[in-house]
Amino acid sequence: MALQGTTLLIKDADNVQFTVIKSWNKMKWDRKAQLLRGTADIELLDKLASIVRLPPAIEDRRSRLHALQDAVDAERVNQEPTPFFKYPVKLPLYAHQMRGANMALLTFGWVPVKGA
């Protein structure tokens, strides 16, 4: 199992693991390289963690994704949001607009996630 950027590569999976992973429809078989290839998103990493122990680099990505998701969820329910950035708008933003802008900054990695 290896991570290339945001792409997860799995080689030498046994028949049972291969069948289970293919049933999720999150990874594609690369016939040329003889491995499974897919985007290392939070759903795929959680499913893989339920069947095998993840290598440290991949587990680190999984924990960072969970920290990001927790930060976005916390901002989503924040009753009194404060702007993470001085947004270039003339009128003051409504609370839901500020929460949305803050969540976008978190999601795209333009502000650091606290605790990650």
Side-chain angles (χ1 to χ4, degrees):
M1 193 177 304
L3 193 61
Q4 285 183 343
T6 60
T7 302
L8 184 67
L9 307 172
I10 298 177
K11 192 169 188 155
D12 298 330
D14 64 28
N15 288 337
V16 174
Q17 290 172 338
F18 180 84
T19 305
V20 169
I21 292 169
K22 279 294 281 181
S23 72
W24 299 334
N25 292 324
K26 301 287 285 174
M27 299 188 85
K28 300 286 184 202
W29 177 250
D30 185 346
R31 188 178 312 169
K32 189 175 183 180
Q34 294 292 306
L35 52 80
L36 287 162
R37 181 183 307 267
T39 302
D41 61 2
I42 195 168
E43 182 183 358
L44 176 61
L45 295 179
D46 283 343
K47 286 181 176 187
L48 281 173
S50 70
I51 62 171
V52 296
R53 183 171 180 170
L54 299 176
I58 298 171
E59 182 61 39
D60 181 52
R61 174 161 173 80
R62 180 174 170 251
S63 65
R64 285 194 323 263
L65 287 173
H66 274 286
L68 173 62
Q69 185 65 45
D70 292 343
V72 169
D73 289 341
E75 188 61 30
R76 181 176 289 121
V77 296
N78 187 357
Q79 292 297 319
E80 298 177 17
T82 57
F84 292 162
F85 181 78
K86 185 175 180 334
Y87 299 113
V89 293
K90 292 181 181 180
L91 297 174
L93 294 174
Y94 290 107
H96 72 280
Q97 293 170 321
M98 194 174 311
R99 282 193 296 270
N102 288 347
M103 287 187 292
L105 290 178
L106 285 168
T107 301
F108 291 115
W110 295 337
V111 293
V113 176
K114 293 176 180 80

